[in-house]
Amino acid sequence: MDEQAKKTALRMIPYGLYVLTAGTKETAIASATINWVTQTSFVPPLLALGIKTDSVVYTAARESRDLVLNILGQGQGGLAFAFFKPAEYVDGKLGGQDVRWAANGAPVLTGVPAAVELKVRHIVELGDHHTFVAEVTNVHLNQEITGRPDEAILHMKDLGEKVFYGADRLARCVCSPHKS
């Protein structure tokens, strides 16, 4: 296979950016910016998330099975970059961001447009990212969304013309995007 053609073709898949959180106030909290997310079912509402196997958020997600997918909005590129590296929970804030607690116990970032509570139903263990199939159990709209909801989100392309994640590792960022 032509490596450059593979990179080009796979980079044509659009990606939103999200901060995945797992854990509770009583346990270790883990978080990471992720972007391999898609809805896979209406009934029940299911999402598939690709999570890097050597990350702390992978371990926390696998153990707790209760997650929150915090959906980043337009203009929140700094927040995406902030969660590319480890984020600590200190003084009621995760990575310096205000949180509230989802019904499942995981942290919800209050500054993002929306968040989705998830219950892991199945894990597909293939590749360097495993696919978590998770059921939507609750949603949080932190602000009014006007217009098309898919236009309100932060996309990978919004981080700049040299930032990619797909077909190879995250380009441009010197940090590992899923370690936390």
Side-chain angles (χ1 to χ4, degrees):
M1 176 177 352
D2 179 291
E3 284 299 309
Q4 189 56 49
K6 177 187 80 170
K7 284 182 184 181
T8 299
L10 292 177
R11 287 177 174 171
M12 293 173 78
I13 299 169
Y15 297 113
L17 287 164
Y18 315 88
V19 174
L20 183 67
T21 57
T24 68
K25 286 190 274 189
E26 292 77 33
T27 66
I29 296 171
S31 59
T33 298
I34 67 169
N35 65 320
W36 287 342
V37 176
T38 192
Q39 185 172 350
T40 63
S41 173
F42 290 118
V43 180
L46 298 174
L47 301 182
L49 305 87
I51 305 175
K52 196 167 190 307
T53 58
D54 65 355
S55 67
V56 175
V57 77
Y58 173 89
T59 303
R62 194 172 178 91
E63 289 174 4
S64 76
R65 302 183 84 81
D66 290 313
L67 315 171
V68 170
L69 185 70
N70 295 276
I71 301 170
L72 299 180
Q74 286 290 317
Q76 292 189 312
L79 196 53
F81 281 112
F83 283 91
F84 280 161
K85 59 184 184 283
E88 293 184 24
Y89 179 69
V90 179
D91 296 328
K93 295 179 183 254
L94 180 60
Q97 302 299 310
D98 289 329
V99 298
R100 71 172 177 274
W101 302 97
N104 68 13
V108 174
L109 301 177
T110 61
V112 300
V116 180
E117 291 185 45
L118 301 167
K119 179 68 159 177
V120 175
R121 297 298 181 201
H122 186 74
I123 302 171
V124 180
E125 297 180 353
L126 294 171
D128 59 1
H129 289 64
H130 289 174
T131 303
F132 283 60
V133 178
E135 185 173 350
V136 175
T137 58
N138 200 1
V139 297
H140 304 265
L141 290 178
N142 297 329
Q143 57 190 248
E144 184 179 347
I145 306 301
T146 59
R148 286 182 58 112
D150 58 346
E151 291 179 354
I153 69 164
L154 180 67
H155 292 92
M156 178 67 72
K157 65 181 179 149
D158 298 329
L159 296 182
E161 64 181 60
K162 298 193 186 251
V163 179
F164 297 98
Y165 196 80
D168 59 5
R169 294 195 168 94
L170 181 67
R172 186 175 164 256
C173 183
V174 294
C175 51
S176 178
H178 294 295
K179 291 218 181 201
S180 58

